[in-house]
Each structure stands twice: as structure tokens, then as C-alpha cells.
Amino acid sequence: MAGVISVVVPIYDVEDYLEECLQSLARQSVRDFEAILVDDGSTDASAAIASRFAAQDERFRLLRQPNGGLSRARNTGIDAATGEYLAFLDSDDVLPPDAYELLLGAVERTGSDFATGNVQRLQATGCTQAGFLAAAFARTRLRTHVRRFAPLLEDRTAWNKLWRRSFWDARGLRFPDGRLHEDIPVVLPAHFQAASVDVVGAPVYRYRVREAGAPSITQRRHELRALRDRLAAVEHVHGYLCASESARHRRRYERSVVRHDLRYHLDLLPEAGDEYRTLFMEWAAAFLRGAGARVCA
């Protein structure tokens, strides 16, 4: 069943969380959506849970494929989507009941290319504000842009957004296959490419901090692969800005990299292995030399 919103849900071995995730989607105040569930070769009961939702609710559709990673699963879902708008929901996370109502109301009112909303961290003790996004979402701002509102440089995730499908297709947006931190090279260029963006101050997404089982991608920053892929994502965005934007916006991004991307891994260096530390130090030194003294300061 097609809907105005196509919600792509990549699924891989999340049997402990999937039920709550899909229930939060089924209970959205916006009823007109299609949920494209992409089972990415799960080895647990995830596929059975997804199949049950698809059998009970005609808005839910299950696709299956061999394991290929998050980006490939998302891209499969995008290719199958028919809605006017695109949304992404990771299968261990949860939506507030009015998430898509808030985002859809904004873009329908303004005609912006996408709407982006505030994010909470979900733990057993409850929900708290995601600190790295507090400044960007302190209040609602309609028809704004990253060039005018620099805190949007920290807004790098695909899942707290409602994307106009015509914008997504016109820009040829795809998630990079086989990479961690796959949102960064998609979302940040999209912020600059958009004519305008709506910022919704209310929470529209709750990302889970896993306290049991396999760690989520955001909890794997100690892995060498996570560092490599983070640096590759930064280089992709930096290259895009060097080619397409002014020096002012490039410097703003460089300061953001130092404040957030590098600090995200810096705290791990005392426990990291030699290869991890060497990669970090050599890359950071080269980046800072190119960025200049003001960014270093």
C-alpha cells in the first residue's frame, strides 16, 4: 500500500528491539505511509517479527536480501519506495507518536527540500536530549539553511528527517556501500544543496544506546574501521565544500570537525592500539596543518 511517506527500515539481528521500533511506527499520528522493511540477512528472529507486522498491517512491506550492510539495505528500500517523501528509521530506535506529523507539517507549509527534527537518547532510565544537537534544535526555524545557521553542521544523521523525494532524486543521493558513518557524506552535502530546510525543535527521533547485545554503530568508535570510515566521510564532505562552497563555509566545517569528529575519537586514544593512534595522529596533524591557525585555536 503506497503512502505519502515511505519509511525505510533496514533490519539486521535486532530481535530485542524491533517490536518496539515497529510499534512506534504503526502508531504514528500520520496514518498515510508505507513502511518498507528490508531484512538484511538476519540470523535471529527479526525477519519473523517483521513478517508478522507485514501480515497484520497493509502499510508494512517486507523485502529480504543477503547481508550487505546498512547502506545497501537503505538503498534497496529507497529503490522500492513510492511515496512523495522519504524517511529512515533504524530498527533499534523509536519514534515519538507525532514525529512525522511535525516534520510533514513543516515541509507542507514551507515547501522546503527536507525537514529535520530534534533527537533524544533512549536508555533504560528514560530519554534525554542528544547533547551534540542541542544548539541546532533549541527552537523551531522554518525555511532556514546551514549557510545562515551554522549549528546545522552538527546535524548529520539521515533518520531525524523527512526528505522530499524529488529533491533526493534530483541530487542523486545514495548511501555509500560498506561504510560506517554512512550518513555524513550524504546529509552534510544535502544541507548545502537544499534551497531551504525546516528545523523542528520538538523531538522526532529517539536513538537507542544499547545496554545489552551487539553494540550499535554509534557505540563502535573504538574500532579501527570506525575511525577509518569517519575520516573518509570527513574527507568526502571537506572535498565537496572545497569544490562547491566559499572559504567561509569550509572553515566553519573545519572547526566543526575539530570540535566534534576528532574529539569523538580523541578520548579513546589512551586505550587504543598503536595502529589506531598512529592513524588518528597523522590524519589530525595533516588536517590541522591544512585548516590553519585560526581553526586550531
Side-chain angles (χ1 to χ4, degrees), residues 15 121 160 177-178 191 248 270:
E15 62 181 9
R121 300 170 79 248
N160 63 326
D177 203 1
H191 263 298
R248 177 189 182 203

Side-chain angles (χ1 to χ4, degrees), residues 27-46:
R27 293 168 179 166
Q28 284 298 292
S29 54
V30 170
R31 308 296 297 170
D32 186 15
F33 67 84
E34 62 172 0
I36 303 172
L37 315 180
V38 184
D39 175 42
D40 191 41
S42 293
T43 63
D44 64 1
S46 296

Side-chain angles (χ1 to χ4, degrees), residues 3-227:
V4 67
I5 301 173
S6 296
V7 186
V8 176
V9 187
I11 297 169
Y12 180 71
D13 285 3
V14 284
E15 62 181 9
D16 292 338
Y17 312 111
L18 185 58
E19 180 90 23
E20 184 180 4
C21 170
L22 297 183
Q23 286 286 5
S24 76
L25 178 53
R27 293 168 179 166
Q28 284 298 292
S29 54
V30 170
R31 308 296 297 170
D32 186 15
F33 67 84
E34 62 172 0
I36 303 172
L37 315 180
V38 184
D39 175 42
D40 191 41
S42 293
T43 63
D44 64 1
S46 296
I49 295 170
S51 181
R52 175 163 49 82
F53 271 83
Q56 294 174 348
D57 190 328
E58 64 178 359
R59 297 173 301 174
F60 286 71
R61 177 157 48 113
L62 176 60
L63 308 178
R64 299 179 190 235
Q65 65 182 32
N67 181 250
L70 177 62
S71 288
R72 189 176 302 175
R74 281 180 174 174
N75 290 335
T76 294
I78 292 167
D79 292 340
T82 63
E84 182 182 353
Y85 297 96
L86 269 176
F88 300 97
L89 172 60
D90 283 358
S91 50
D92 53 351
D93 296 333
V94 174
L95 298 169
D98 59 351
Y100 293 142
E101 179 181 354
L102 293 170
L103 294 170
L104 182 63
V107 293
E108 294 273 84
R109 173 181 170 186
T110 65
S112 290
D113 289 316
F114 63 90
T116 181
N118 204 357
V119 176
Q120 295 176 321
R121 300 170 79 248
L122 174 62
Q123 297 175 276
T125 53
C127 295
T128 56
Q129 169 67 45
F132 69 102
L133 290 173
F137 294 97
R139 65 177 178 86
T140 294
R141 302 168 186 264
L142 300 182
R143 292 192 61 82
T144 189
H145 199 275
V146 67
R147 294 191 191 96
R148 300 193 300 275
F149 184 53
L152 284 177
L153 287 168
E154 322 309 336
D155 178 41
R156 308 167 177 195
T157 56
W159 31 248
N160 63 326
K161 296 170 176 58
L162 188 66
W163 304 85
R164 196 176 292 276
R165 180 64 186 263
S166 57
F167 168 77
W168 185 276
D169 289 346
R171 298 300 179 178
L173 300 179
R174 301 287 285 182
F175 292 100
D177 203 1
R179 292 274 185 90
L180 302 179
H181 305 299
E182 59 283 308
D183 289 13
I184 294 172
V186 174
V187 173
L188 282 176
H191 263 298
F192 283 93
Q193 293 165 356
S196 69
V197 171
D198 298 324
V199 174
V200 175
V204 303
Y205 200 87
R206 295 169 180 154
Y207 81 87
R208 186 183 303 274
V209 180
R210 294 192 192 179
E211 296 166 83
S216 65
I217 291 172
T218 55
Q219 294 170 273
R220 293 170 56 186
R221 59 190 174 125
H222 63 284
E223 297 180 11
L224 183 60
R225 178 193 173 193
L227 175 60

